C-alpha cells in the first residue's frame, strides 16, 4: 500500500503544528463510532460537522450535542422527509438522489476543507463527489460495505434486462465515486484486492478496522435496570442487537428459540427493526415462540445495559457477503464483554477476530445444526463464557483506543488535503 496507508503508519512529530481544518464527517447510518471520531477531531481544534441520515431504521450513536462536547463539534440530521424503503428499488433510488442533493447543500453551507463519507449509498456518494469536485474539496470514501453485492441479491427476481441495467448503474456510481475520490479508507484488507478486481486501484488507500466507542459502551452487570424492566435479569439470554437485514439470516434466531423452547430459563432476545424483525414476528406468532423476545432499537444511552442483559451475544452474516461486510455489532459486543456465538463466513474479519481472540464459537452461515450446538455448549459452560468475556474486554481496551485511531484519521485527512 502507498499514499494514505503509508502516511497513516508514520508517528506524528512531537511539537509539529497541526493544521486546523473544517471537516465534514458524513455517516449515513448515524452509528456510534463515527460520531466518536468526529468529537475526537473537534477536540484537536478542528471545526467538525457530523452529518447523518434521519431516514433509515438503524441503531444510532450519541448524536445530540452534550454540554461537555468540544466547541468545534456539531451534528445535523439530513432528511428527504420520509422513511427510506430499502427494498422498493425505484422509490429508493429517487429518495437517495433527493437525499444526495440535500446532503450536498448541508456540506456546501459549511464550506469544509475536506469530507469523510462512509456507510453511504452509491447514488448519494456519487452526487456528493460531483459537487465537491466542482468546489475543489477532497472527498475521502470510508468504505464500510460494497453496496452492489447486496443489490445483486435484491435484483435476483427481476427480469434480466432490468437486473442488468440496475446492477451496471449501481456499480458505475459506487466504483466511480471511489476512483474519483481523494482516497479510500477500507475496514478490512480483503477489500483492496476485491476493489482492484473491479477497477478501483486507488493510489491512496488505508486500512483502518472499525471499532466501538470504548468508555461509552462499558461492561455492566447482567442484573441492571434495563434487564429487570424486560424480565431478563434472571434468565439466560441469547441476544442479537442491531440490524437484521438481508445479510443476516433470521432463521438462526428462530432456530435458537425452537431449540430452547422447553427451557423456561432461556430467552432469545432480538433488538432490531426492519425486514428480519418483521419475519421473526410472523414466526413467533405462528409457532407461539414465547421465549423469542422482539424489541425495537434502544437509545444509545441504554446500550451498555442492553448488551449486559446477554449471557451470549449472537452474530450473523450470510455467505454471499463474504469478506465484504464486517458487522459492526461485533465491536460493541467486545466492549460489553459477552461470549459470542456466530454464523459468519470464514473469510470475514469479524469471524477471524472472534476466533483469534478466543471470544466465542463460530460456524459457517449454512450450518444451522452447528450453530444450535455451539449455542448449547455456551449455555452449559459458564467458565468458557467467562474466559471469552475477559478476552474481549482486554482486546477492546487496547484496540479501541480513540487517541490512536483518531491520530490515524487525522493523518489521512491531512494527506487528502495536501493532495
Amino acid at each position: 500500500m502507498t499514499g494514505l496507508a503509508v502516511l497513516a503508519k508514520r508517528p506524528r512529530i512531537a511539537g509539529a503544528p497541526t493544521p486546523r481544518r473544517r471537516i465534514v464527517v458524513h455517516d449515513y447510518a448515524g452509528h456510534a463510532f463515527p460520531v466518536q471520531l468526529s468529537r475526537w477531531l473537534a477536540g484537536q481544534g478542528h471545526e467538525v460537522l457530523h452529518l447523518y441520515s434521519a431516514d433509515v431504521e438503524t441503531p444510532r450513536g450519541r448524536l445530540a450535542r452534550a454540554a461537555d462536547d468540544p466547541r468545534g463539534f456539531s451534528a445535523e440530521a439530513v432528511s428527504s422527509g420520509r422513511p427510506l424503503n430499502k427494498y422498493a428499488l425505484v422509490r429508493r433510488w429517487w429518495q437517495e438522489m433527493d437525499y444526495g442533493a440535500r446532503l450536498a447543500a448541508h456540506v456546501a453551507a459549511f464550506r469544509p476543507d475536506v469530507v469523510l463519507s462512509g456507510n453511504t449509498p452509491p447514488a448519494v456518494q456519487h452526487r456528493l463527489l460531483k459537487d465537491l469536485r466542482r468546489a475543489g474539496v477532497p472527498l475521502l470514501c470510508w468504505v464500510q460495505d460494497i453496496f452492489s453485492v447486496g443489490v445483486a441479491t435484491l435484483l435476483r427476481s427481476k427480469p434480466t434486462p432490468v437486473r442488468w441495467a440496475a446492477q451496471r448503474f449501481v456499480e458505475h456510481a459506487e466504483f466511480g465515486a471511489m476512483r474519483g475520490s481523494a482516497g479510500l479508507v477500507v475496514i478490512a484488507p480483503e477489500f483492496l484486492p476485491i476493489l482492484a478486481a473491479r477497477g478501483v486501484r486507488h493510489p491512496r488507500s488505508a486500512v483502518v478496522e472499525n471499532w466501538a466507542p470504548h468508555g461509552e459502551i462499558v461492561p455492566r452487570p447482567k442484573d441492571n435496570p434495563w434487564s429487570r424492566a424486560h424480565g431478563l435479569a434472571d434468565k439466560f439470554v441469547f441476544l442479537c442487537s442491531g440490524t437484521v437485514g438481508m445479510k443476516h439470516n433470521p432463521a438462526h434466531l428462530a432456530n435458537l428459540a425452537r431449540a430452547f423452547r422447553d427451557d423456561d430459563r432461556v430467552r432469545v432476545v432480538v433488538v432490531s427493526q426492519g425486514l428480519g424483525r418483521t419475519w421473526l414476528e410472523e414466526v413467533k406468532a405462528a409457532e407461539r415462540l414465547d421465549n423469542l423476545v422482539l424489541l425495537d432499537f434502544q437509545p444509545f444511552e441504554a446500550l451498555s445495559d442492553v448488551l449486559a442483559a446477554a449471557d451470549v451475544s449472537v452474530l450473523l452474516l450470510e455467505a454471499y457477503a463474504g469478506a465484504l461486510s464486517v458487522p459492526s455489532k461485533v465491536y460493541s459486543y467486545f466492549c460489553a464483554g459477552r461470549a459470542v456465538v456466530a454464523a459468519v463466513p470464514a473469510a470475514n474479519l469479524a469471524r477471524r477476530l472472534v476466533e483469534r481472540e478466543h471470544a466465542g464459537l463460530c460456524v459457517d452461515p449454512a450450518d444451522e445444526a452447528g450453530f444450535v450446538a455451539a449455542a448449547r455448549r455456551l449455555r452449559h459452560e459458564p467458565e468458557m463464557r467467562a474466559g471469552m468475556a475477559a478476552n474481549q474486554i482486554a482486546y477492546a481496551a487496547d484496540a479501541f483506543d480513540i487517541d490512536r485511531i483518531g491520530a490515524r484519521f487525522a493523518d489521512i485527512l491531512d494527506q487528502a488535503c495536501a493532495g
Side-chain angles (χ1 to χ4, degrees):
M1 291 181 289
T2 60
L4 292 178
V6 173
L7 181 63
K9 295 176 182 178
R10 297 175 186 163
R12 286 185 176 271
I13 300 171
T18 302
R20 298 295 186 256
R21 304 194 189 279
R22 295 179 65 82
I23 301 169
V24 167
V25 177
H26 171 242
D27 172 42
Y28 186 73
H31 287 327
F33 62 95
V35 74
Q36 185 195 33
L37 173 64
S38 290
R39 284 187 166 92
W40 186 91
L41 290 167
Q44 309 310 301
H46 302 291
E47 292 288 327
V48 182
L49 173 61
H50 188 91
L51 298 175
Y52 61 96
S53 171
D55 301 335
V56 293
E57 285 186 338
T58 184
R60 299 195 184 277
R62 192 162 58 91
L63 295 165
R65 182 173 171 81
D68 60 348
D69 278 339
R71 185 180 61 182
F73 170 80
S74 60
E76 296 176 7
V78 181
S79 176
S80 64
R82 55 196 182 278
L84 181 72
N85 186 336
K86 294 182 180 179
Y87 309 107
L89 293 181
V90 175
R91 188 188 311 163
R92 174 177 175 172
W93 181 81
W94 281 109
Q95 190 170 348
E96 288 177 351
M97 293 293 287
D98 183 25
Y99 177 91
R102 294 169 187 266
L103 171 65
H106 275 73
V107 173
F110 185 72
R111 301 178 63 86
D113 299 308
V114 62
V115 175
L116 172 66
S117 180
N119 267 319
T120 304
V124 177
Q125 199 84 311
H126 191 268
R127 169 61 192 267
L128 180 61
L129 173 67
K130 181 180 177 181
D131 283 37
L132 290 176
R133 291 183 79 169
R134 188 181 299 120
V137 176
L139 170 68
L140 277 165
C141 289
W142 192 357
V143 185
Q144 301 275 340
D145 206 342
I146 297 182
F147 284 82
S148 51
V149 173
V151 168
T153 302
L154 278 174
L155 293 169
R156 282 183 302 192
S157 62
K158 303 297 181 183
T160 299
V162 174
R163 185 169 66 247
W164 184 89
Q167 187 71 27
R168 296 293 82 75
F169 172 81
V170 173
E171 290 175 354
H172 170 76
E174 182 165 38
F175 301 129
M178 292 182 193
R179 285 190 291 267
S181 69
L184 304 180
V185 181
V186 299
I187 61 173
E190 289 81 5
F191 277 63
L192 294 175
I194 292 168
L195 292 176
R198 289 162 170 81
V200 181
R201 298 177 179 86
H202 207 292
R204 292 188 294 274
S205 300
V207 178
V208 183
E209 290 185 20
N210 281 347
W211 70 97
H214 185 261
E216 296 180 29
I217 303 174
V218 297
R220 293 273 292 139
K222 178 180 175 65
D223 187 350
N224 63 61
W226 190 90
S227 65
R228 289 194 297 272
H230 292 85
L232 302 173
D234 61 346
K235 302 297 183 183
F236 188 97
V237 173
F238 293 97
L239 175 78
C240 181
S241 177
T243 302
V244 181
M246 293 192 67
K247 292 181 294 187
H248 319 95
N249 185 1
H252 285 297
L253 298 165
N255 286 338
L256 270 186
R258 294 180 187 116
F260 290 97
R261 70 186 307 164
D262 295 328
D263 186 341
D264 186 56
R265 285 191 47 77
V266 173
R267 296 291 183 269
V268 178
V269 179
V270 182
V271 181
S272 187
Q273 293 170 228
L275 188 68
R277 160 72 181 274
T278 300
W279 184 85
L280 287 169
E281 287 174 350
E282 295 170 357
V283 172
K284 175 183 171 75
E287 301 183 27
R288 297 183 180 179
L289 293 174
D290 296 334
N291 62 341
L292 179 59
V293 180
L294 305 175
L295 301 168
D296 288 347
F297 290 130
Q298 301 294 297
F300 181 78
E301 292 74 18
L303 184 57
S304 293
D305 281 355
V306 172
L307 298 179
D311 295 276
V312 175
S313 299
V314 178
L315 187 66
L316 305 174
L317 189 67
E318 285 289 74
Y320 77 81
L324 299 182
S325 179
V326 181
S328 58
K329 61 175 67 70
V330 69
Y331 303 105
S332 298
Y333 290 168
F334 268 53
C335 284
R338 295 295 188 271
V340 172
V341 60
V344 176
N348 194 269
L349 176 62
R351 176 161 173 175
R352 294 205 311 275
L353 174 63
V354 171
E355 292 181 331
R356 185 188 71 218
E357 300 301 322
H358 303 288
L361 300 179
C362 301
V363 303
D364 291 336
D367 189 359
E368 294 184 355
F371 182 76
V372 171
R376 288 191 185 280
R377 184 179 176 192
L378 289 170
R379 163 78 171 98
H380 296 294
E381 297 197 29
E383 291 183 2
M384 175 186 288
R385 297 197 308 272
M388 291 172 171
N391 293 341
Q392 291 176 356
I393 292 169
Y395 178 85
D398 177 60
F400 302 163
D401 178 359
I402 189 58
D403 288 327
R404 184 167 62 224
I405 295 167
R408 289 202 68 195
F409 274 96
D411 283 339
I412 291 166
L413 290 163
D414 284 349
Q415 177 70 1
C417 290

